[in-house]
Amino acid sequence: MSGGLLVAGTTSDAGKSVVTAGICRWLVRQGVKVAPFKAQNMSLNSFVTKEGAEIGRAQAMQAQACRVEPTALMNPVLLKPGGEQSSQVVLLGKPVGELSARGYHGGRQQKLLGTVLECLAELRGTYDAVICEGAGSPAEINLRRTDIVNMGIARNARLPVLVVGDIDRGGVFASFFGTVALLSPEDQELVAGFLVNKFRGDVSLLEPGLDMLHGLTGRRTYGVLPFRHGLGIDEEDGMAVSLRGTVRESAVTPPVGEDVLRVAVCAVPLMSNFTDVDALAAEPGVVVRFVDRPEELADADLVVIPGTRGTVRALQWMRERGLAEAIVRRAAEGRPVLGVCGGFQILGEHIDDEVESRVGQVEGLGVLPVRVRFAREKTLTRPAGEALGERVEGYEIHHGVADIGGGTPFLDGCRVGQTWGTHWHGSLESDGFRRAFLREVAAAAGRRFVPAPDTSFAALREEQLDRLGDLIEQHADTDALRRLIESGAPQGLPFIPPGAPA
């Protein structure tokens, strides 16, 4: 088998990432050597590959679905928002500067097309199939001229396009039809058909609409995927993630001990790698919620300050809301607090930032004896070590350089009392370390919580990826999907007016 496919969507969050991962897992279970690809990604959730390149976490997750090691080729352009108007541009895993949206779409994006196509060609020369993920919608007519991630890459690489629609939002038929009808004739030639995502109910009630859609567009529907909870692993977050009132999906298994453990995560602005707490939520009896008010910290056994692309901005936000004062008070009382990356920097005494916020000298919360200076070169590493008597692995993505003046060593950071700080993302995915850490938290919180002795985060992740593969295998026309990947879009697909504006 050889070939490729572009998974596009009618909207952002239509399910492109998980559908791509599901197709990848289905193919690899069929013995196909497959790789994921996303030309351009906008996300604050990123990962560090073994060669020290920063890519989107969704592509790292999709590589795991393919059972291959992630590389920078799989996500050559990563945009990390620093606000409403600008993003850090990461090219082939390394930051190359900050650009406004106007500056990026005004010329820089199109210049990257050659690099993107070279990466895709290298992957296609190595793997039997490459499953590409689009971004947003391919029918963003204001951006089509400079597009390198949707129809721009499909046209240049002659990739068939499968359009995913989220029926749970409503309007999926109009979205499918409108997506095709706003594309140029040359783009429409590559749009092979549709995939309905997140369907609830009796599929037979949907079938008349699918038949009418086929009659209107000349394009078939390749499957109807049912709604499933807990499949949004390592999702993208675009410019912002609205987590107010959201709870990460915790295991429904009752706690092993007598008590549950409550974890409150501060929903700071420009939050990055909030997936760090997924490993906590996977533990039976651990309840994780995101909060933005000081009173919501009162009953928490552990407070987590996560990473952020705007450390100084997040610190100011915490002060304005009263969260900073509540955390300082909490630390003084010996109640557990964990700061990760930007959260670690916030807990320190002093921040000198001429890189990220460019505001210079800022006083931190003063809970940990740490002074942070922002370096222009970003630290991108995959460290490993030992803490609490257990082996730990993680990854680092930060400009801040920490000068630690005391406390007890903790990973690359330090601990004072029950306040912990580290730059390491992903450390809680190390099962033995996570259990040891939770035992310490439970003891300090006075909870009779006992970590489950056999929770394997890696095994749970594999189970989720297999569930995605099952969705494709059981609810998509896999024979037709395979022909599409091998042979490209069907010939003679009709043009749907009006097409793209001139």
Side-chain angles (χ1 to χ4, degrees), residues 2 7 10 54 60 88 118 135 148 185 215 218 239 275 279 281 325 337 383 434 446 476 486 493:
S2 63
V7 179
T10 56
E54 185 179 8
Q88 183 180 65
E118 288 171 5
I148 65 170
M239 284 296 291
T275 47
E325 182 181 354
V337 177
R434 182 180 64 253
E486 291 176 339
L493 291 170

Side-chain angles (χ1 to χ4, degrees), residues 138-482:
E140 305 289 356
I141 55 179
N142 56 315
L143 302 177
R144 176 61 185 91
R145 182 178 59 84
T146 57
D147 171 47
I148 65 170
V149 66
N150 290 307
M151 301 312 299
I153 191 112
R155 281 268 292 278
N156 278 278
R158 302 307 300 171
L159 292 171
V161 179
L162 182 69
V163 181
V164 178
D166 179 357
I167 197 170
D168 198 48
R169 292 183 172 187
V172 73
F173 293 116
S175 298
F176 282 146
F177 182 87
T179 296
V180 178
L182 281 176
L183 299 178
S184 68
E186 295 80 7
D187 286 350
Q188 287 193 24
E189 288 176 2
L190 296 173
V191 179
F194 314 107
L195 186 73
V196 177
N197 193 27
K198 303 181 187 177
F199 179 72
R200 307 173 192 249
D202 186 346
V203 176
S204 66
L205 299 177
L206 189 67
E207 287 171 352
L210 300 179
D211 291 340
M212 285 186 274
L213 181 67
H214 183 270
L216 288 166
T217 67
R219 289 158 174 85
R220 59 167 299 170
T221 297
Y222 284 77
V224 178
L225 306 186
F227 187 95
R228 291 287 187 268
H229 288 285
L231 295 182
I233 49 179
D234 294 4
E235 59 263 66
E236 307 305 338
D237 57 3
M239 284 296 291
V241 178
S242 177
L243 289 164
R244 181 76 192 100
T246 298
V247 179
R248 295 299 283 176
E249 297 211 24
S250 300
V252 296
T253 310
V256 175
E258 297 179 41
D259 289 341
V260 299
L261 207 64
R262 296 173 177 84
V263 179
V265 184
C266 296
V268 297
L270 297 175
M271 180 165 39
S272 61
N273 289 64
F274 56 82
T275 47
D276 282 338
V277 299
D278 283 357
L280 294 178
E283 282 285 346
V286 175
V287 179
V288 178
R289 67 184 189 274
F290 287 81
V291 304
D292 60 7
R293 296 194 297 260
E295 58 268 27
E296 294 175 300
L297 306 183
D299 67 343
D301 303 306
L302 170 67
V303 171
V304 178
I305 309 175
T308 171
R309 171 85 163 87
T311 301
V312 171
R313 176 177 168 181
L315 175 59
Q316 180 63 29
W317 177 87
M318 291 175 67
R319 284 186 166 131
E320 291 170 352
R321 289 179 171 255
L323 286 163
E325 182 181 354
I327 286 172
V328 171
R329 185 168 59 250
R330 179 185 181 92
E333 294 168 354
R335 303 178 65 197
V337 177
L338 171 65
V340 180
C341 200
F344 168 40
Q345 297 166 6
I346 285 170
L347 291 171
E349 298 171 345
H350 185 83
I351 299 170
D352 183 1
D353 180 13
E354 297 289 352
V355 175
E356 196 173 75
S357 67
R358 298 184 179 89
V359 300
Q361 311 284 329
V362 177
E363 295 302 312
L365 298 187
V367 176
L368 293 176
V370 176
R371 300 177 72 84
V372 176
R373 174 186 55 83
F374 275 61
R376 297 206 172 274
E377 185 175 349
K378 183 184 283 191
T379 297
L380 296 168
T381 63
R382 289 269 293 270
E386 188 173 299
L388 303 179
E390 299 286 347
R391 181 74 174 168
V392 192
E393 295 181 355
Y395 57 100
E396 295 185 53
I397 306 170
H398 55 92
H399 285 279
V401 179
D403 179 12
I404 301 170
T408 303
F410 174 64
L411 301 177
D412 71 326
C414 67
R415 168 189 182 181
V416 173
Q418 292 300 321
T419 301
W420 319 62
T422 177
H423 275 129
W424 289 23
H425 294 289
S427 63
L428 294 167
E429 295 179 18
S430 298
D431 298 327
F433 167 72
R434 182 180 64 253
R435 286 191 277 269
F437 176 69
L438 289 176
R439 281 193 289 269
E440 291 246 2
V441 168
R447 295 286 185 187
R448 289 172 293 186
F449 168 85
V450 179
D454 55 356
T455 301
S456 167
F457 185 75
L460 290 172
R461 173 54 55 88
E462 279 295 302
E463 288 175 14
Q464 279 191 307
L465 292 171
D466 276 331
R467 288 174 66 198
L468 294 178
D470 292 343
L471 276 180
I472 298 299
E473 190 169 329
Q474 296 168 11
H475 300 282
D477 185 340
T478 51
D479 289 340
L481 196 56
R482 187 157 183 149

Side-chain angles (χ1 to χ4, degrees), residues 40 79 100-110 143 145-146:
Q40 172 196 296
L79 305 179
S100 67
R102 180 178 294 274
Y104 185 67
H105 291 286
R108 179 63 183 270
Q109 183 181 33
Q110 202 166 23
L143 302 177
R145 182 178 59 84
T146 57

Side-chain angles (χ1 to χ4, degrees), residues 49-109:
T49 67
K50 282 189 174 179
E51 70 266 31
E54 185 179 8
I55 66 172
R57 273 200 67 100
Q59 279 60 65
M61 175 267 290
Q62 291 161 358
Q64 186 176 348
C66 297
R67 297 181 179 142
V68 298
E69 190 66 34
T71 73
L73 293 174
M74 298 172 182
N75 179 205
V77 182
L78 174 64
L79 305 179
K80 302 194 72 175
E84 298 298 324
Q85 299 295 328
S86 66
S87 293
Q88 183 180 65
V89 181
V90 179
L91 179 62
L92 293 175
K94 303 296 180 183
V96 294
E98 296 272 342
L99 274 181
S100 67
R102 180 178 294 274
Y104 185 67
H105 291 286
R108 179 63 183 270
Q109 183 181 33

